[in-house]
Amino acid sequence: RITPTAEQFWIAWGPPFLPQDAATLVESAGQAHFATNIELCRTKEGRSTPALIVTEAPDDPERLGIWIQARQHAWESGSSWVAKGFVDWLVSDHDSAKSLRRNARIVVVPVMDIDNVHRGAGGKSQKPQDHNRDWSDAPHWRSVAAAQKAIINLDKSGQFDLFVDLHNPGANDRQPYYYVPPQDLLTATGQRNFQRFIETSKDHITGPLTFTGKTIASGAQYDPKAWKAISKNWVAAHCRDHVVAVTLETAWNTPQSTVAGYQQIGRELGIAIDQYFREDNREAATTAEQNR
């Protein structure tokens, strides 16, 4: 209950994370010798879209490629806090973070829809185009176009392996879950990798916001008109078949949906990603030994 003390006041339904917070995050993390803060693009209204690149394997032709982005829907502020938790973990001395940096090039975009975050708009189902229905051959939003170009270039170079789009779901969703591409977009390799990633996430995203293994396929039945232009579906359709592409929805309408709770999800996601790729390396080594 809130007792107003003025004729007009504002209430945030989640902890605010502003464009300046995104800039501060990548600038601070970019001070590490293995990190670089960049500008993904300038928005249609002339604002900078900050991004971060982290790797300790700059010249390794076999390094992994990971893309993490948040806030395609501007009002889903919790997703940016998840991204911050991931970034803070990624540049830390945690053993899993150091392992991932040594083996991968990781790109993080804390806010994709800078303009709508700036004005405090929602962004969901916006006109003329929802950000997360804009992944087409001719995207309206510059951040989407820039992300598509970068991802395709990474994939063509053989250095792209994982895409995670961070969101907050509906009010009745009380635990994190993944939206996933429809199974017919995935080859046998893609389905196997996807299943391993889900199982690894379940092992490591343990709460208090706990991932229980729930997934929802967002294909033609989910959105008949625009399902192909949803980010993870576009990635699954345009990248090599081993690439895992998912949307992580972190519940916002719970007592644990706080800055601390969101950042813990980010850390746990990072550990899950590192473990997923460690298992992938072990599987590859076992296959190679069997082939001998």
Side-chain angles (χ1 to χ4, degrees):
R1 295 181 178 274
I2 298 173
T3 301
T5 58
E7 292 185 2
Q8 184 181 65
F9 64 101
W10 292 82
I11 300 174
W13 68 268
F17 192 98
L18 306 178
Q20 184 55 46
D21 296 318
T24 299
L25 174 62
V26 302
E27 288 169 7
S28 175
Q31 294 177 13
H33 69 88
F34 46 74
T36 307
N37 60 305
I38 64 168
E39 181 180 82
L40 178 67
C41 68
R42 304 292 293 189
T43 70
K44 286 179 174 288
E45 297 178 16
R47 299 184 180 92
S48 178
T49 303
L52 181 73
I53 300 173
V54 175
T55 185
E56 291 191 43
D59 302 316
D60 184 355
E62 296 184 1
R63 70 184 176 187
L64 303 164
I66 300 166
W67 188 282
I68 310 288
Q69 63 180 38
R71 214 71 172 277
Q72 288 211 84
H73 294 143
W75 61 4
E76 296 171 12
S77 61
S79 65
S80 289
W81 286 106
V82 174
K84 184 180 187 306
F86 176 83
V87 168
D88 289 346
W89 167 85
L90 183 61
V91 300
S92 75
D93 290 330
H94 193 286
D95 287 343
S96 288
K98 291 191 286 188
S99 169
L100 194 61
R101 297 195 304 259
R102 287 194 298 265
N103 292 292
R105 178 183 187 270
I106 308 102
V107 179
V108 184
V109 187
V111 176
M112 285 285 285
D113 188 0
I114 288 285
D115 287 341
N116 274 319
V117 171
H118 171 81
R119 68 173 56 87
K124 179 80 170 180
S125 301
Q126 67 181 324
K127 302 297 182 182
Q129 185 62 54
D130 184 311
H131 254 77
N132 202 29
R133 301 295 188 277
D134 194 36
W135 290 65
S136 65
D137 292 337
H140 176 80
W141 300 109
R142 292 179 181 175
S143 61
V144 173
Q148 287 179 323
K149 181 179 179 180
I151 288 168
I152 288 297
N153 287 340
L154 288 169
D155 190 61
K156 286 181 178 178
S157 72
Q159 297 184 341
F160 189 63
D161 303 272
L162 175 66
F163 172 87
V164 183
D165 193 16
L166 301 173
H167 286 252
N168 293 129
N172 293 326
D173 294 303
R174 309 298 293 228
Q175 295 291 349
Y177 65 92
Y178 284 108
Y179 277 116
V180 300
Q183 290 294 296
D184 58 7
L185 272 185
L186 307 178
T187 65
T189 297
Q191 291 182 23
R192 183 174 65 250
N193 288 352
F194 157 75
Q195 192 58 46
R196 281 199 307 105
F197 182 77
I198 295 301
E199 291 171 358
T200 307
S201 294
K202 187 177 178 181
D203 288 341
H204 294 281
I205 302 178
T206 55
L209 291 167
T210 304
F211 173 60
T212 62
K214 177 182 175 181
T215 63
I216 300 175
S218 52
Q221 291 184 334
Y222 174 78
D223 189 334
K225 293 183 179 180
W227 71 272
K228 291 182 179 180
I230 296 173
S231 58
K232 69 181 180 322
N233 292 345
W234 182 91
V235 171
H238 288 80
C239 294
R240 291 170 300 156
D241 66 349
H242 76 281
V243 173
V244 171
V246 294
T247 299
L248 175 59
E249 299 274 356
T250 300
W252 62 269
N253 192 23
T254 79
Q256 295 78 35
S257 302
T258 62
V259 166
Y262 290 136
Q263 291 187 99
Q264 180 167 339
I265 286 282
R267 291 190 295 271
E268 292 173 339
L269 173 64
I271 295 169
I273 290 172
D274 175 61
Q275 188 62 36
Y276 165 74
F277 285 117
R278 290 193 195 200
E279 291 175 357
D280 188 49
N281 289 337
R282 284 197 293 269
E283 184 178 284
T286 300
T287 300
E289 183 64 27
Q290 292 171 345
N291 289 340
R292 290 195 195 101

